Amino acid sequence: MLSRLSTATAAALRRGIATSAQNNAKVAVLGASGGIGQPLSLLLKNSPLVSKLSLYDIAHTPGVAADLSHIETRANVKGFMGPEQLPECLKGCDVVVIPAGVPRKPGMTRDDLFNTNASIVASLTTACAKHCPEAMICIISNPVNSTIPITSEVFKKHGVYNPNKIFGVTTLDIVRANTFVAELKGLDPARVTVPVIGGHAGKTIIPLISQCTPKVEFPQDQLEKLTARIQEAGTEVVQAKAGAGSATLSMAYAGARFVFSLLDAMSGKQGVVECAFVRSDVTEVPYFSTPLQLGKKGIEKNLGLGKLSPFEEKMVAAAMSELKGSIKKGEEFAKNFK
């Protein structure tokens, strides 16, 4: 068991899921009692990068915080419950992660979540704009293709908008692509890196297998199947859970991976690159996910699309109309949100 554990730990270290570097970051999780929020909070509590962990939800947070507070790691955990306690939760935060909202059930698309989750994200990001305007904001709540435009519009309304600090967490698409490619090629997934660009729903998820490290090749029919599996992997989990929720554990892992990369970059680590759905002028749509070089102030440099294969170019073109529609829907919602 020990040797297996140390192998897993080594893989995590390579990925940046744990690091011996210490800093004094205050991180808040909004939606901390939910299916993603609880395992995400556990992973954050386990990291030496986090010194204060603020957990917020509309129910059960005191219990989740009490439970996590017994773990023998340095992060000081506090639970906050209900809107009146949200300002205190957010005060002084360096990073805010938002997995709040309802999950998908079988037969639902991410867009079906819009009506419920749009209001939740708009309310929570309004509080962030007021109480921690300088924090990095990491949105997990779906549909990300709409909730990021909502977040941006909310921050603009409050005069504190900084596009380099607002991220749609698409990391689970990268994690899945790495895993599925590694399975097909018999590789260690911790050593595989597949950039995934576009958005975070169905055909807007564009894995760049041609840019995979190490280099891999697939016959066209296998490449199409692999791409479709990466695009529909969330639905695979929703169906397997048969009504009991969507991807929570893998999403928590991916969310933690993104936060740790961000914290590493904020504390001065060089060469930290993650993909995320952000404000962008790389394509004709105003938001798009590409590899980003992260730094002390968020996005240091957008690394763009790189060289695409003809198959990938077609996918980018095919994603445009859906992305435009989802972005517009988010922007219009935010403009009318009181």
Side-chain angles (χ1 to χ4, degrees):
M1 182 62 194
L2 270 176
S3 64
R4 278 188 64 194
L5 198 58
S6 58
T7 309
T9 308
L13 282 164
R14 281 198 299 275
R15 272 281 181 233
I17 280 292
T19 158
S20 57
Q22 283 203 0
N23 70 4
N24 292 309
K26 179 177 178 183
V27 179
V29 179
L30 310 186
S33 302
I36 297 166
Q38 289 202 41
L40 173 59
S41 300
L42 173 62
L43 290 167
L44 294 171
K45 169 69 175 129
N46 207 28
S47 170
L49 291 170
V50 179
S51 64
K52 288 181 182 168
L53 186 58
S54 281
L55 308 181
Y56 172 82
D57 215 317
I58 53 171
H60 312 305
T61 5
V64 175
D67 196 354
L68 286 176
S69 72
H70 294 179
I71 293 172
E72 54 183 358
T73 53
R74 70 189 283 257
N76 180 274
V77 185
K78 281 193 178 152
F80 300 87
M81 192 166 73
E84 60 290 338
Q85 292 188 7
L86 186 52
E88 185 60 27
C89 169
L90 293 171
K91 209 162 75 183
C93 278
D94 301 295
V95 177
V96 179
V97 200
I98 306 184
V102 294
R104 279 200 291 162
K105 292 195 164 57
M108 288 174 84
T109 65
R110 288 182 179 89
D111 200 49
D112 292 333
L113 304 174
F114 184 89
N115 293 336
T116 305
N117 288 0
S119 300
I120 293 170
V121 169
S123 300
L124 293 174
T125 54
T126 296
C128 293
K130 287 178 182 170
H131 303 291
C132 57
E134 294 293 313
M136 306 288 173
I137 309 295
C138 307
I139 305 286
I140 290 172
S141 313
N142 275 313
V144 165
N145 294 355
S146 299
T147 54
I148 283 298
I150 288 171
T151 303
S152 298
E153 293 303 320
V154 164
F155 271 69
K156 281 179 196 170
K157 245 185 214 176
H158 289 84
V160 290
Y161 178 55
N162 181 345
N164 295 326
K165 292 187 170 187
I166 294 173
F167 303 90
V169 180
T170 61
T171 317
L172 184 50
D173 298 326
I174 292 91
V175 166
R176 286 167 167 158
N178 294 346
T179 302
F180 301 165
V181 166
E183 281 172 0
L184 290 171
K185 292 293 183 188
L187 299 166
D188 174 358
R191 295 192 178 279
V192 175
T193 304
V194 180
V196 181
I197 63 168
H200 184 59
K203 69 178 183 189
T204 71
I205 298 168
I206 304 162
L208 303 183
I209 307 293
S210 73
Q211 294 181 25
C212 177
T213 312
K215 191 157 178 51
V216 294
E217 284 182 3
F218 296 97
Q220 188 62 24
D221 62 333
Q222 196 179 15
L223 179 62
E224 286 173 16
K225 268 189 202 146
L226 169 62
T227 299
R229 187 181 177 207
I230 293 163
Q231 291 175 330
E232 294 305 326
T235 304
E236 197 178 297
V237 177
V238 169
Q239 287 170 347
K241 288 193 173 180
S246 57
T248 52
L249 302 172
S250 52
M251 185 60 246
Y253 167 88
R257 173 184 146 169
F258 185 80
V259 171
F260 297 146
S261 290
L262 199 48
L263 291 173
D264 272 340
M266 288 164 73
S267 61
K269 187 176 174 182
Q270 298 295 305
V272 180
V273 175
E274 289 283 358
C275 296
F277 188 68
V278 296
R279 183 82 200 179
S280 168
D281 55 11
V282 167
T283 67
E284 66 193 76
V285 290
Y287 296 88
F288 201 81
S289 181
T290 42
L292 308 167
Q293 189 169 306
L294 302 175
K296 289 187 175 183
K297 294 180 177 176
I299 302 169
E300 207 163 71
K301 188 181 181 189
N302 191 321
L303 302 177
L305 303 175
K307 188 172 176 358
L308 303 183
S309 71
F311 176 61
E312 291 159 357
E313 282 174 353
K314 266 189 206 146
M315 286 196 287
V316 170
M320 287 298 150
S321 68
E322 186 178 324
L323 278 171
K324 277 180 192 162
S326 300
I327 290 165
K328 190 163 186 257
K329 190 174 179 178
E331 287 176 338
E332 286 180 354
F333 176 86
K335 279 171 185 156
N336 299 318
F337 183 76
K338 295 287 177 275

